[in-house]
């Protein structure tokens, strides 16, 4: 993407400033505060995913057949919700967003889908997940604030309840940030204590690490690369981009060797 960004709209809520900019190529960007680029939406096709991390999150659909009940903790600009609705035939997508103004901006300026299968709830992800046991097949956790990771993404109790929100056969997807150049997510020791070391993860260029974790009591997710490549090849023309690189880089948490001090 190139070109200078022009301001489209700016708002403020109880959590700080929000603004949307647009460049000459038709991309709009949602910012939290003045510097934190939170979302990117290609307005000619709001279901297009520009960020590597959102593309990689879609790998979870390999293990969960359609039609699935999907929950997103964190809506942002809505591009991931749009993509899931268009390409993966969900039964329903429930998006939980803390900031009402973010939802308003997504609807008015970022092409958030009007698909009747999309339900948006305003409120705290922690409060929502407290009463969401066995409620979904796919749970995407993507909680960031202006300063970075939400505090919830470093809390054992919260992640435990996220896993409990899955039905048997379900998959939890967590968008974490990498600790330096370690190849480890923030809270790696907490995550391993909760989920063991056989969950799958993939690191992307933006510095994010995506974690794929099975429902409680279920065996580790099958890492069958040939089958995943065949599945991804069937999606490529529809998506407009390839998921193959993310499949190649997918590995068990146990395979990450922490750098020496």
């Amino acid at each position: 993407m190139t070109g200078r960004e022009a301001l489209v709209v700016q708002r403020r809520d109880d959590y700080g400033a929000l603004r949307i900019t647009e460049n000459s190529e038709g991309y709009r960007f949602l910012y939290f505060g003045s510097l934190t680029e939170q979302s990117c939406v290609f307005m000619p096709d709001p279901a297009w995913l520009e960020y590597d991390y959102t593309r990689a999150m879609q790998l979870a659909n390999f293990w969960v057949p359609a039609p699935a009940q999907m929950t997103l903790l964190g809506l942002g600009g809505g591009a991931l919700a749009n993509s899931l609705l268009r390409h993966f035939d969900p039964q329903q997508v429930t998006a939980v967003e803390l900031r009402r103004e973010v939802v308003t901006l997504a609807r008015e300026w970022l092409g958030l889908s009007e698909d009747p299968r999309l339900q948006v709830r305003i409120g705290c992800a922690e409060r929502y997940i407290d009463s969401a046991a066995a409620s979904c097949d796919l749970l995407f956790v993507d909680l960031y604030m202006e300063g970075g990771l939400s505090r919830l993404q470093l809390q054992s109790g919260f992640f435990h309840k996220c896993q409990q929100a899955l039905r048997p056969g379900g998959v939890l997807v967590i968008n974490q940030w990498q600790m330096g150049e370690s190849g480890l997510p923030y809270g790696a020791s907490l995550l391993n204590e909760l989920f063991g070391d056989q969950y799958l993860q993939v690191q992307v260029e933006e510095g994010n690490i995506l974690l794929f974790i099975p429902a409680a009591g279920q065996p580790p997710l099958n890492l069958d690369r040939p089958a995943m490549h065949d599945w991804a090849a069937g999606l490529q023309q529809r998506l407009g981009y390839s998921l193959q690189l993310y499949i190649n880089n997918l590995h068990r948490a146990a395979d990450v060797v922490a750098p020496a001090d």
Side-chain angles (χ1 to χ4, degrees):
M1 291 177 290
T2 59
R4 178 175 295 181
E5 296 172 27
L7 181 66
V8 174
V9 64
Q10 59 185 6
R11 304 273 175 82
R12 176 173 288 276
D13 63 10
D14 292 342
Y15 301 94
L18 296 161
R19 63 190 177 97
I20 293 175
T21 65
E22 183 175 24
N23 70 12
S24 60
E25 297 176 345
Y27 289 92
R28 286 186 178 175
F29 306 90
L30 172 64
Y31 285 87
F32 289 175
S34 59
L35 298 175
T36 304
E37 183 184 311
Q38 203 280 338
S39 297
C40 172
V41 177
F42 184 51
M43 294 308 295
D45 179 7
W48 171 266
L49 296 182
E50 185 67 22
Y51 295 148
D52 278 313
Y53 83 87
T54 50
R55 294 182 181 185
M57 291 176 90
Q58 296 180 119
L59 293 181
N61 290 278
F62 171 77
W63 296 287
V64 179
Q69 178 74 38
M70 304 181 185
T71 299
L72 281 65
L73 301 184
L75 173 68
L80 179 60
N82 289 345
S83 182
L84 293 170
L85 286 161
R86 181 181 297 179
H87 300 302
F88 295 98
D89 192 26
Q91 177 182 354
Q92 181 174 296
V93 175
T94 300
V96 182
E97 172 56 51
L98 178 66
R99 304 173 72 168
R100 183 178 299 275
E101 197 61 46
V102 166
V103 178
T104 299
L105 290 171
R107 284 176 170 154
E108 293 181 358
W109 299 98
L110 297 172
L112 181 62
S113 176
E114 296 182 359
D115 192 306
R117 294 171 297 169
L118 176 62
Q119 178 183 68
V120 180
R121 296 194 178 190
I122 309 297
C124 172
E126 184 175 27
R127 188 170 303 139
Y128 175 85
I129 214 69
D130 278 346
S131 57
S135 63
C136 60
D137 305 297
L138 281 171
L139 175 58
F140 298 86
V141 181
D142 187 14
L143 299 173
Y144 285 77
M145 301 295 284
E146 181 177 346
L149 272 176
S150 164
R151 62 175 179 81
L152 293 176
Q153 298 224 139
L154 295 172
Q155 293 186 6
S156 175
F158 172 71
F159 281 138
H160 174 72
K161 288 181 179 177
C162 285
Q163 192 182 37
Q164 296 297 318
L166 297 172
R167 297 169 178 167
V171 176
L172 169 62
V173 187
I174 302 173
N175 174 26
Q176 281 280 32
W177 198 249
Q178 182 181 192
M179 292 191 292
E181 301 296 325
S182 67
L184 296 169
Y186 275 88
S189 58
L190 175 153
L191 291 162
N192 286 0
E193 183 177 336
L194 265 178
F195 305 126
D197 62 4
Q198 293 300 300
Y199 63 84
L200 296 172
Q201 64 180 58
V202 60
Q203 180 181 343
V204 297
E205 287 189 6
E206 294 133 339
N208 305 68
I209 296 180
L210 293 312
L211 316 178
F212 301 90
I213 298 161
Q218 302 292 302
L221 297 173
N222 183 20
L223 183 51
D224 183 346
R225 290 189 211 276
M228 294 190 77
H229 282 302
D230 288 346
W231 170 80
L235 287 167
Q236 186 166 335
Q237 184 174 2
R238 192 159 78 241
L239 293 174
Y241 47 81
S242 174
L243 301 178
Q244 307 287 4
L245 177 63
Y246 314 121
I247 295 169
N248 289 339
N249 293 335
L250 199 61
H251 55 266
R252 304 280 178 199
D255 295 335
V256 180
V257 178
D261 293 334

